[in-house]
PDB file of all heavy atoms in Angstrom:
ATOM      1  N   ALA B1040     104.703  94.701 124.230  1.00  0.00           N
ATOM      2  CA  ALA B1040     105.250  94.910 122.890  1.00  0.00           C
ATOM      3  C   ALA B1040     105.821  96.325 122.751  1.00  0.00           C
ATOM      4  O   ALA B1040     105.207  97.287 123.210  1.00  0.00           O
ATOM      5  CB  ALA B1040     104.175  94.674 121.845  1.00  0.00           C
ATOM      6  N   PRO B1041     106.981  96.469 122.090  1.00  0.00           N
ATOM      7  CA  PRO B1041     107.548  97.803 121.877  1.00  0.00           C
ATOM      8  C   PRO B1041     106.865  98.513 120.704  1.00  0.00           C
ATOM      9  O   PRO B1041     106.285  97.870 119.836  1.00  0.00           O
ATOM     10  CB  PRO B1041     109.013  97.501 121.535  1.00  0.00           C
ATOM     11  CG  PRO B1041     108.956  96.171 120.854  1.00  0.00           C
ATOM     12  CD  PRO B1041     107.853  95.411 121.546  1.00  0.00           C
ATOM     13  N   ILE B1042     106.947  99.837 120.693  1.00  0.00           N
ATOM     14  CA  ILE B1042     106.450 100.625 119.569  1.00  0.00           C
ATOM     15  C   ILE B1042     107.569 100.729 118.541  1.00  0.00           C
ATOM     16  O   ILE B1042     108.627 101.308 118.822  1.00  0.00           O
ATOM     17  CB  ILE B1042     105.996 102.021 120.023  1.00  0.00           C
ATOM     18  CG1 ILE B1042     104.867 101.909 121.040  1.00  0.00           C
ATOM     19  CG2 ILE B1042     105.556 102.867 118.828  1.00  0.00           C
ATOM     20  CD1 ILE B1042     104.466 103.235 121.668  1.00  0.00           C
ATOM     21  N   ARG B1043     107.338 100.181 117.368  1.00  0.00           N
ATOM     22  CA  ARG B1043     108.369 100.115 116.334  1.00  0.00           C
ATOM     23  C   ARG B1043     107.752 100.278 114.946  1.00  0.00           C
ATOM     24  O   ARG B1043     106.583  99.950 114.732  1.00  0.00           O
ATOM     25  CB  ARG B1043     109.118  98.781 116.383  1.00  0.00           C
ATOM     26  CG  ARG B1043     109.899  98.531 117.659  1.00  0.00           C
ATOM     27  CD  ARG B1043     111.106  99.441 117.773  1.00  0.00           C
ATOM     28  NE  ARG B1043     111.855  99.195 118.998  1.00  0.00           N
ATOM     29  CZ  ARG B1043     111.672  99.837 120.143  1.00  0.00           C
ATOM     30  NH1 ARG B1043     110.716 100.781 120.225  1.00  0.00           N
ATOM     31  NH2 ARG B1043     112.406  99.572 121.200  1.00  0.00           N
ATOM     32  N   LEU B1044     108.551 100.753 114.000  1.00  0.00           N
ATOM     33  CA  LEU B1044     108.134 100.739 112.607  1.00  0.00           C
ATOM     34  C   LEU B1044     108.072  99.306 112.102  1.00  0.00           C
ATOM     35  O   LEU B1044     108.827  98.441 112.567  1.00  0.00           O
ATOM     36  CB  LEU B1044     109.109 101.534 111.738  1.00  0.00           C
ATOM     37  CG  LEU B1044     109.002 103.056 111.787  1.00  0.00           C
ATOM     38  CD1 LEU B1044     110.145 103.675 111.011  1.00  0.00           C
ATOM     39  CD2 LEU B1044     107.660 103.529 111.225  1.00  0.00           C
ATOM     40  N   SER B1045     107.190  99.061 111.160  1.00  0.00           N
ATOM     41  CA  SER B1045     107.104  97.742 110.553  1.00  0.00           C
ATOM     42  C   SER B1045     108.463  97.327 110.011  1.00  0.00           C
ATOM     43  O   SER B1045     109.161  98.109 109.357  1.00  0.00           O
ATOM     44  CB  SER B1045     106.082  97.768 109.416  1.00  0.00           C
ATOM     45  OG  SER B1045     105.989  96.515 108.796  1.00  0.00           O
ATOM     46  N   GLY B1046     108.848  96.094 110.326  1.00  0.00           N
ATOM     47  CA  GLY B1046     110.138  95.569 109.892  1.00  0.00           C
ATOM     48  C   GLY B1046     111.250  95.733 110.901  1.00  0.00           C
ATOM     49  O   GLY B1046     112.296  95.085 110.781  1.00  0.00           O
ATOM     50  N   GLN B1047     111.055  96.571 111.920  1.00  0.00           N
ATOM     51  CA  GLN B1047     112.072  96.765 112.960  1.00  0.00           C
ATOM     52  C   GLN B1047     111.775  95.816 114.118  1.00  0.00           C
ATOM     53  O   GLN B1047     111.060  96.164 115.057  1.00  0.00           O
ATOM     54  CB  GLN B1047     112.103  98.219 113.424  1.00  0.00           C
ATOM     55  CG  GLN B1047     112.522  99.186 112.334  1.00  0.00           C
ATOM     56  CD  GLN B1047     112.608 100.625 112.830  1.00  0.00           C
ATOM     57  OE1 GLN B1047     112.203 100.953 113.943  1.00  0.00           O
ATOM     58  NE2 GLN B1047     113.141 101.500 111.999  1.00  0.00           N
ATOM     59  N   LEU B1048     112.332  94.612 114.037  1.00  0.00           N
ATOM     60  CA  LEU B1048     111.954  93.541 114.959  1.00  0.00           C
ATOM     61  C   LEU B1048     113.097  93.093 115.866  1.00  0.00           C
ATOM     62  O   LEU B1048     113.009  92.035 116.489  1.00  0.00           O
ATOM     63  CB  LEU B1048     111.435  92.336 114.158  1.00  0.00           C
ATOM     64  CG  LEU B1048     110.230  92.615 113.246  1.00  0.00           C
ATOM     65  CD1 LEU B1048     109.884  91.373 112.436  1.00  0.00           C
ATOM     66  CD2 LEU B1048     109.033  93.055 114.068  1.00  0.00           C
TER      67      LEU B1048
END
Side-chain angles (χ1 to χ4, degrees):
I1042 299 173
R1043 297 290 180 268
L1044 283 173
S1045 179
Q1047 296 183 351
L1048 302 176

